[in-house]
Amino acid sequence: MKWMNILLSIISGVFLALAYDYNFLWGLSFVALVPLLYVIYNTSDIKRIYFLGHLTGFIFLGLSFLWLFSAYPLVWLQTENNILNFVNIFIVWFLTSLILSSAVGLFGVVLNKLKTNKIYDVFLISILWILFEYLRGWFLFVLSYSSELLSGSHYTFGLLGYNLANSHYLLQLAGIGGVYLLSFIVVLINAVLFFIFLSFIKEGNFLFFCKKIKNSLIKLTNLKTLILVFIIFVFFLLSLNFNVVKTEPLKTLNIAILQTKFLNWNDKNNQLSKFDKKEVYKKILLDIKNNEPKVDVILFPESTDFTFDLIETKQNKSFYQNLWPQDEVLIIDSAFVRDWYGDAKSMMYYYNTQSQNYDIYEKQLLVPTGETMPYLAKILLKNLGLSKGNNYFEQYKSYIKSDQKIPVLGELQGSKIGILFCSEIFSPSLFQDLVFQKAEIVGLSASYTTFRGSPLLLSQVEKIAKVRAVENNRYFVQSSNFGHSLVVDNQGKILAKTKEIGNGYLLYQVKLINKNNLYTYLGNWILWLSFIFSFFSFMGGTHDEWFA
């Protein structure tokens, strides 16, 4: 039985990873937790439950984070020792997977303590899972902590709700409660299937389970349950008001979305100078001007420095007006910029070709070991004898976080566009902030060159982009370096996507939407209800008493 529990935990971890990493296997997410739940419900030793849950989480997240190895070799480490370079990436992968997966172990422990072995446990299982998904983001914050890291559970890696991006109809629930509601639904189905499985084991037939359901439904006449059902019903009506009764978009914008395939400037395989890359950008812009009758917005990949250099050398007016002398075009481009004190920031420029005015958004969610060095990583580098790499990082790659309290949007003829940077796609709250500022289109300026356009990473990001679009009821556009440029509508459908990674652009007529949905106003309400439910379960006995 001991080895059987280990095997079941491994099966859960593998199924979770397969469902998350391979879109055609996304259906596995509805059964992936069943083996782990069986282990939790049939093991009394708390330490063993934690170990088995941790094992499941480590396999799941470890396989989902395999794209980290695509960063090999890390140029900024400044070492010729390839083995040491690989070891450094392995340690990052191992520690990240190990620490984040502890949330699954803790989930198992708490569930084992609070379970009642009754049908109501399906809600308890779902609630606890999403709470620990949220706490996992905080675990990553602590692991990656530095003075420049944005506080909060922003990095939502490995949330089961993202798997529902593969189902058009289930994905629409993100407009009601965001990705955490999607996770709740996935785990709820797992829990129901688990109890069906238990009924077969105990009684050998399905009628026993149906009888338990019937007896449970009889109890649903008490006041507390009616209030709960009423609240859910109100949320459902509100979602119909915000999502089903749609208004026609007021207008559209023709957006040219650039795509490039450039290695980092310090990559030993990079054969293009900064001048060469600028010539590529110029050629793409000239193609847009010659082949497209009208373009309103041009979105560049992350940190091209192209428009910033034009502004610094005062060539911006002549260059862009030579291309579009009469048209008003909004250029959205970004750069790595150092201030007078030598502090570097990633800045997004919203440049208007007619007025020559521009607004600037500063990146808020920096990438640990990519744009800011965690304190733990500094200790690791020192112990591995790689202080030279840390010094190089601080000199050439280290950013400081933004002081901006609210995101800055671009505006063109009264229409507002909100674009975030690459890593910020993982943060639901940052995109919600764009909508609060009345963005009518949201999107991403990204660069995946550090990971050489890892197909695994790009696939995961694409799912997340679909969820962000539905969460905010906005069209989503993405411009990429070493990735695909794409357009996603407010229902999560990919309308256009570049076929291969290379130098070029994608043009699409994107609709502007200013109508908000339930998620915009209430955010992650499912999380807060889950916190309240869990609190009273701890303080006032088991959750079964709520329904009794």
Side-chain angles (χ1 to χ4, degrees):
M1 195 66 180
K2 172 183 176 182
W3 293 106
M4 179 58 69
N5 286 340
I6 293 177
L7 178 60
L8 291 173
S9 299
I10 292 173
I11 291 173
S12 268
V14 172
F15 277 19
L16 287 169
L18 290 175
Y20 193 76
D21 292 345
Y22 300 98
N23 291 334
F24 68 96
L25 294 175
W26 73 275
L28 286 175
S29 58
F30 294 126
V31 298
L33 287 175
V34 173
L36 177 62
L37 292 175
Y38 181 81
V39 170
I40 294 171
Y41 271 73
N42 289 276
T43 305
S44 57
D45 186 350
I46 293 299
K47 291 182 179 179
R48 186 154 190 80
I49 289 174
Y50 176 81
F51 167 76
L52 294 171
H54 203 155
L55 176 63
T56 294
F58 182 79
I59 294 172
F60 166 40
L61 294 174
L63 292 176
S64 299
F65 282 141
L66 284 178
W67 48 264
L68 283 170
F69 289 98
S70 299
Y72 173 83
L74 287 173
V75 179
W76 59 262
L77 281 178
Q78 294 291 287
T79 178
E80 298 296 327
N81 189 330
N82 291 331
I83 295 178
L84 192 59
N85 200 312
F86 180 83
V87 167
N88 187 76
I89 296 176
F90 176 83
I91 292 175
V92 171
W93 169 82
F94 180 80
L95 288 178
T96 302
S97 303
L98 183 68
I99 293 176
L100 297 192
S101 58
S102 65
V104 183
L106 293 173
F107 158 79
V109 170
V110 176
L111 175 58
N112 183 266
K113 287 292 186 181
L114 295 180
K115 66 183 175 67
T116 64
N117 296 306
K118 298 182 180 180
I119 191 60
Y120 304 129
D121 279 3
V122 298
F123 295 104
L124 176 67
I125 293 168
S126 307
I127 285 170
L128 290 179
W129 181 269
I130 65 172
L131 288 180
F132 279 103
E133 277 191 334
Y134 176 75
L135 291 176
R136 198 165 69 208
W138 279 102
F139 290 175
L140 183 59
F141 170 74
V142 173
L143 173 66
S144 308
Y145 181 73
S146 73
S147 60
E148 305 306 324
L149 192 63
L150 185 65
S151 176
S153 181
H154 291 283
Y155 278 109
T156 55
F157 291 116
L159 269 60
L160 298 189
Y162 288 131
N163 291 337
L164 297 192
N166 296 291
S167 169
H168 175 75
Y169 296 104
L170 291 176
L171 176 58
Q172 306 316 306
L173 294 172
I176 302 174
V179 67
Y180 289 104
L181 178 60
L182 299 185
S183 286
F184 182 91
I185 298 300
V186 171
V187 181
L188 184 65
I189 294 174
N190 272 273
V192 170
L193 292 177
F194 166 66
F195 271 89
I196 292 176
F197 174 72
L198 278 186
S199 70
F200 273 105
I201 291 179
K202 291 180 178 180
E203 298 293 325
N205 61 71
F206 185 65
L207 294 178
F208 177 74
F209 178 76
C210 293
K211 184 178 180 181
K212 290 180 70 175
I213 291 290
K214 179 182 177 182
N215 293 335
S216 299
L217 289 175
I218 292 174
K219 295 182 180 181
L220 296 183
T221 56
N222 63 74
L223 181 60
K224 295 175 183 176
T225 303
L226 288 176
I227 292 174
L228 179 61
V229 172
F230 176 76
I231 292 173
I232 294 175
F233 180 68
V234 170
F235 282 161
F236 177 72
L237 292 179
L238 285 172
S239 70
L240 289 179
N241 178 57
F242 287 117
N243 285 319
V244 178
V245 183
K246 301 174 184 176
T247 56
E248 288 298 319
L250 297 176
K251 61 178 181 179
T252 62
L253 291 176
N254 288 323
I255 303 182
I257 309 166
L258 272 61
Q259 176 182 286
T260 54
K261 190 179 180 180
F262 297 150
L263 293 169
N264 286 327
W265 65 272
N266 57 355
D267 193 305
K268 65 179 181 180
N269 295 315
N270 176 44
Q271 298 179 350
L272 296 177
S273 66
K274 189 172 183 178
F275 174 81
D276 295 330
K277 294 177 182 179
K278 283 185 177 182
E279 291 302 307
V280 173
Y281 294 129
K282 289 179 179 179
K283 182 179 181 303
I284 295 175
L285 292 174
L286 189 61
D287 287 344
I288 295 172
K289 191 261 184 186
N290 292 333
N291 298 320
E292 309 302 341
K294 178 70 169 69
V295 62
D296 299 304
V297 179
I298 297 176
L299 176 60
F300 282 76
E302 184 178 13
S303 296
T304 70
D305 294 343
F306 182 77
T307 303
F308 170 74
D309 287 345
L310 289 175
I311 293 173
E312 287 293 290
T313 57
K314 303 189 184 305
Q315 300 178 50
N316 51 298
K317 180 178 180 179
S318 60
F319 177 80
Y320 281 121
Q321 286 207 333
N322 282 340
L323 290 175
W324 295 282
Q326 304 298 327
D327 297 329
E328 183 181 16
V329 180
L330 182 65
I331 306 295
I332 306 177
D333 196 4
S334 57
F336 176 87
V337 181
R338 290 192 181 276
D339 60 22
W340 292 103
Y341 303 101
D343 295 327
K345 290 184 178 180
S346 196
M347 295 186 175
M348 186 87 67
Y349 287 78
Y350 295 98
Y351 176 80
N352 188 299
T353 59
Q354 287 300 310
S355 67
Q356 288 93 52
N357 295 325
Y358 55 86
D359 294 306
I360 297 176
Y361 165 70
E362 299 174 356
K363 187 172 186 178
Q364 298 185 59
L365 186 58
L366 302 180
V367 181
T369 70
E371 295 164 334
T372 180
M373 185 63 71
Y375 294 134
L376 184 61
K378 291 181 179 181
I379 296 173
L380 175 64
L381 291 175
K382 183 177 180 180
N383 290 332
L384 290 174
L386 293 172
S387 296
K388 181 180 178 182
N390 181 58
N391 295 335
Y392 180 88
F393 183 95
E394 295 294 340
Q395 182 176 357
Y396 294 106
K397 290 179 65 65
S398 182
Y399 293 66
I400 63 171
K401 65 181 178 182
S402 170
D403 294 326
Q404 293 176 338
K405 301 302 180 183
I406 57 175
V408 176
L409 308 183
E411 189 168 344
L412 181 69
Q413 300 170 4
S415 302
K416 293 185 177 182
I417 304 174
I419 304 296
L420 298 180
F421 287 95
C422 187
S423 59
E424 294 177 324
I425 192 172
F426 295 103
S427 174
S429 61
L430 290 181
F431 275 89
Q432 199 174 20
D433 288 343
L434 295 179
V435 177
F436 285 148
Q437 299 303 312
K438 304 190 182 305
E440 297 163 276
I441 296 173
V442 299
L444 203 69
S445 175
S447 177
Y448 305 106
T449 186
T450 298
F451 303 101
R452 279 79 174 179
S454 164
L456 181 60
L457 175 60
L458 296 182
S459 174
Q460 292 178 8
V461 168
E462 193 171 292
K463 288 192 297 187
I464 297 172
K466 292 180 179 181
V467 175
R468 293 290 95 86
V470 178
E471 279 178 339
N472 297 286
N473 193 36
R474 298 293 188 272
Y475 276 59
F476 181 101
V477 295
Q478 174 180 275
S479 175
S480 298
N481 179 43
F482 245 106
H484 293 285
S485 291
L486 52 84
V487 178
V488 183
D489 71 8
N490 61 319
Q491 299 297 306
K493 180 181 179 181
I494 295 181
L495 301 176
K497 177 183 174 181
T498 50
K499 294 182 179 180
E500 57 185 26
I501 298 175
N503 300 329
Y505 70 95
L506 180 70
L507 185 78
Y508 201 86
Q509 192 175 49
V510 181
K511 295 179 180 179
L512 292 106
I513 300 176
N514 54 22
K515 183 177 177 59
N516 296 331
N517 56 21
L518 180 62
Y519 179 75
T520 303
Y521 294 106
L522 297 184
N524 295 313
W525 57 267
I526 186 70
L527 270 180
W528 312 131
L529 286 181
S530 298
F531 272 118
I532 294 171
F533 185 90
S534 301
F535 175 78
F536 282 104
S537 294
F538 276 111
M539 300 299 294
T542 65
H543 64 286
D544 189 46
E545 296 174 359
W546 284 58
F547 298 92

